[in-house]
């Protein structure tokens, strides 16, 4: 038999995922001889075979059987000169000229490791909280530099014992080259301390922590990518105390639950959701509550599941209600499963849902060091479960939801970042940095045809976030071999803080400024690889516009070269007092009423319509106050006359104010008018409450119109200088007046909210149809924070699809500002001249 030698190069996430032992075993099964090794660009197999067909068969097997976390991007095969192999070996890593290697994100504990920590006779790992193998465990949170070897991670502080070393060196062992490999003898350890840092228990710290939680205490836990704060989710008292101490009155908390059976007692769980929850990424998944989620009355019905599926029968039937203070009236709840051995061990002791929220203060980044936790979180936590494995990079828990059967990222961090997205074109050895947005910040580096998006960094209004940004950027530069930036992309806002920060690094190339809403649309175009013209709806709260005003309801026509024409938006209104109004929906409500009222006063027909009969109603500011007082009792309770007068003054004179077309502010105004939210304690609260109020299965909507082009008030049907495009200015004051009419005749809030949402969907459809008619564009892109609204995006998607449109939105990056950096970078590589060869 004549053998030929073939070389197979595999690219993608193939390191730190148990790929070499997998290849070793597969080759042995197939009785193939050769060798496998890691390189700086991927993995190389050299192998003897009779024919290329045998190799293709082997590659098929690799693709079908590969370990779960592996991602194969590309496989190259070539015949090389014959090599005499007489067995199959794993050989030492090699340097190749190419130095760009994808690193696996952190992976949730695998089933074999869970079995290890549960087995009483497993002397080295029974109850050991730092058990891991090549299929699971910390990765990106502990890597300091590449290649991914133990000495380059924070595990270098721990010297492997002889047993661990043996496992590490044995090619057929599950822990072969598992860099964080450890056992009780040689690895990290846990202790429970009180808030002064005094050791409470170093023998059975998890059992003690569990007992404290059951007594209603709040525990800070050093987890994988940072601290988490845990308490009993079924205890009103514990949850309310956590809310008070964390100064977080209403924002929902995430919950960790023992297993999917437990989850199904409280929440609806689709196949897709279950798969994502139980994956190695183990994110928080937003699930719909069952009707009895927050009550004890309906005990779990066992027949809902096959009995044989249930691992631990004894404990399943128990169901204790989740405290309603965990997420109030939200129809959804963020749920995750245990993803480290520590979590699994904790749930061995506690058989109930736990609040598991980020260990931070307000919108600051997650705390990741023992000392900082004891300093910063000691007003919140009663005890801390600490360990001595250093976290090098901090990662929040990721948040996802399932839409259209597909995973949709809400917050992209642990388990996802920095795994890159593939984009076109390939910019080869050049590199681009886009710095993202001011809120929910991420940054994006482009190298070759990869967009590497950082983990969620957060709101850039504090020093800690700036540090987080800076250290993460310098970490990524080391890990991905970025020496020099050819292009830096920033947001348009003149006071954008990140610009100064990035300028401290050498940028040898050019700079580009990208408008916020254009970046939203471009992020969808990038991740969906759209190559045709699109109609883009970028609806959100705040973004600095090309004209210096605050945009937020922008409608664009975008061509193949990413040239944007702004073809529509809401009417421009004053944002009275600027930023202060963003957290105070009642101020926006008063503004809308004022705009409506001025129109009302000028229009006798409208007055009849709204049952104000005296024709010549005077309209001084005091008359407006009277109007508010007699028609909007709830609103009048939260605002004094002085503040109303100052809003009128600001609208009239623009004093301290700026024009806005924000869609978020329209949601705010309605949420307040409907007495749902007058002040927001977290971003998006008013809009969320409005969404939650919407009654499903109502198809009705309000008639809508665009600002009349003949009325000279604003630019209707104007010829756009660039493209001769008609401009759609949505008359939201008119829409508002119709809603007021409904309120005045006593229509229910649930109906009004549904009708309002439906109207927005109908407006999107109407504008899309008009543009399609004229310009034959059939692709609609939806992006921006407003589309986090499940009710709205579902309605809009269905409506557009029914009318033959291709509809796109964000899945791989958040539809909120977490996706901005990708859009910025993408516009950057499409537009910057210096990147073209
Ligand atoms: Zn494992
Ligand atoms: Zn050991
Ligand atoms: Fe935005």
């Amino acid at each position: 038999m004549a053998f030929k030698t073939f070389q197979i190069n595999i690219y993608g996430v193939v390191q730190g995922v148990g790929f070499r032992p997998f290849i070793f075993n597969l080759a042995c099964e197939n009785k193939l001889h050769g060798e496998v090794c890691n390189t700086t660009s991927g993995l190389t197999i050299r192998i003897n075979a009779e024919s290329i067909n045998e190799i293709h068969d082997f590659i098929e097997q690799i693709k079908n059987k590969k370990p779960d976390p592996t991602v194969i991007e590309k496989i190259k095969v070539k015949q090389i000169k014959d090599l005499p192999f007489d067995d199959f070996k794993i050989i030492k890593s090699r340097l190749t000229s190419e130095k760009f290697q994808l690193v696996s994100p952190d992976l949730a504990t695998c089933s074999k490791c869970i079995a290890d920590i549960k087995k009483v006779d497993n002397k080295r790992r029974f109850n050991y909280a730092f058990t891991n193998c090549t299929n699971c465990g910390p990765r990106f949170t502990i890597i300091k530099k590449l290649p991914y070897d133990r000495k380059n991670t924070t595990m270098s502080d721990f010297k492997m014992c002889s047993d661990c070393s043996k496992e590490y060196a044995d090619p057929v062992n599950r822990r072969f080259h598992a860099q964080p490999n450890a056992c009780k003898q040689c690895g990290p350890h846990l202790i429970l301390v009180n808030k002064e840092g005094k050791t409470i228990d170093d023998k059975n710290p998890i059992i003690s922590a569990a007992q404290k939680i059951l007594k209603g205490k709040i525990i800070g836990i050093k987890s994988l990518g940072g601290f988490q704060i845990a308490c009993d989710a079924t205890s009103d008292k514990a949850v309310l105390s956590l809310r008070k101490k964390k100064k977080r009155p209403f924002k929902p908390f995430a919950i960790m639950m023992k297993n999917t059976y437990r989850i199904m007692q409280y929440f609806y769980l689709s196949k897709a959701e279950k798969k994502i929850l139980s994956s190695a990424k183990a994110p928080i998944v937003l699930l719909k509550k069952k009707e009895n989620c927050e009550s004890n009355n309906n005990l779990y019905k066992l027949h809902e599941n096959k009995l044989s599926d249930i691992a631990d029968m004894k404990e399943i039937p128990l169901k204790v209600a989740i405290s309603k203070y965990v997420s109030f009236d939200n129809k959804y709840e963020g749920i995750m499963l245990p993803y480290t051995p520590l979590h699994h061990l904790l749930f061995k002791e506690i058989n109930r849902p736990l609040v598991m929220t980020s260990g931070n203060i307000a919108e600051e980044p997650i705390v990741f060091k023992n000392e900082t936790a004891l300093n910063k979180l000691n007003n919140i936590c009663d005890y801390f479960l600490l360990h001595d494995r250093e976290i090098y990079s901090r990662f929040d828990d990721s948040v996802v939801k399932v839409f259209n059967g597909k995973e949709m990222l809400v917050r992209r961090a642990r388990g996802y970042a920095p795994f890159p997205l593939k984009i076109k074109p390939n910019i080869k050895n050049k590199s681009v940095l886009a710095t993202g947005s001011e809120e929910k910040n991420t940054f994006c580096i482009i190298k070759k045809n990869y967009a590497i998006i950082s983990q969620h960094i957060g709101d850039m209004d504090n020093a800690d976030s700036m540090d987080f940004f800076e250290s993460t950027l310098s970490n990524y530069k080391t890990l991905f071999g970025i020496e020099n930036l050819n292009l830096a992309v920033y947001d348009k806002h003149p006071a954008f803080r990140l610009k100064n920060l990035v300028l401290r690094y050498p940028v040898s190339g050019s700079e580009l400024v990208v408008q916020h809403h254009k970046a939203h649309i471009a992020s969808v175009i990038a991740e969906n690889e759209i190559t045709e013209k699109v109609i883009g709806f970028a609806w959100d709260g705040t973004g600095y516009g090309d004209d210096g005003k605050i945009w937020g309801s922008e409608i664009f026509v975008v061509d193949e070269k990413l040239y944007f024409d702004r073809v529509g938006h809401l009417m421009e209104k004053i944002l009275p007092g600027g930023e202060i109004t963003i957290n105070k929906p009642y101020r926006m409500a008063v503004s809308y009423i004022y705009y409506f009222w001025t129109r009302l006063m000028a229009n006798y027909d409208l007055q009849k319509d709204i049952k104000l009969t005296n024709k010549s109603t005077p309209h001084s500011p005091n008359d407006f106050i009277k109007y508010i007082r007699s028609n909007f009792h709830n609103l009048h309770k939260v605002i004094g006359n002085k503040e109303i007068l100052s809003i009128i003054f600001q609208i009239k004179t623009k004093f301290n104010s700026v024009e806005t077309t924000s869609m978020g502010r329209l949601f705010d105004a309605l949420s307040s008018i409907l007495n749902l939210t007058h002040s927001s304690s977290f971003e998006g609260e008013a809009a969320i409450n409005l969404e939650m109020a919407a009654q499903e299965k109502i198809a009705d909507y309000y008639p809508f119109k665009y600002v009349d082009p003949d009325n000279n008030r604003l630019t209707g049907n104007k010829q756009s200088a660039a493209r001769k495009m008609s401009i759609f200015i949505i008359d939201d004051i008119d829409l508002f007046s119709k809603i007021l009419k409904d309120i005045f005749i006593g229509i229910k809030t649930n109906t009004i909210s549904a009708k309002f949402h439906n109207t927005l969907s109908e407006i999107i459809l109407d504008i899309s149809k008009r543009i399609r008619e004229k310009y034959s564009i059939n692709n609609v892109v939806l992006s921006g924070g407003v589309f986090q609204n499940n009710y709205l995006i579902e309605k809009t998607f269905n409506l557009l699809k029914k009318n033959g449109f291709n509809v796109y939105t964000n899945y791989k990056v958040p539809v909120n500002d977490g996706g901005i950096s990708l859009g910025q970078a993408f516009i950057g590589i499409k537009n910057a001249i210096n990147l073209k060869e």
Side-chain angles (χ1 to χ4, degrees), residues 109-110 112-113 132-136 174-175:
T109 309
C110 73
K112 286 178 182 161
C113 286
N132 63 80
C133 73
T134 49
N135 297 315
C136 74
R174 206 171 91 240
R175 298 196 165 92

Side-chain angles (χ1 to χ4, degrees), residues 227-231 242 246 248 252-255 336 354-360 366 397:
F227 274 77
Q228 292 174 314
I229 299 174
C231 76
L242 176 57
K246 209 165 184 277
R248 180 164 152 158
F253 288 129
I255 289 181
M336 65 186 134
L354 297 181
V355 165
M356 200 61 85
T357 187
S358 298
N360 61 354
I366 188 166
D397 292 318

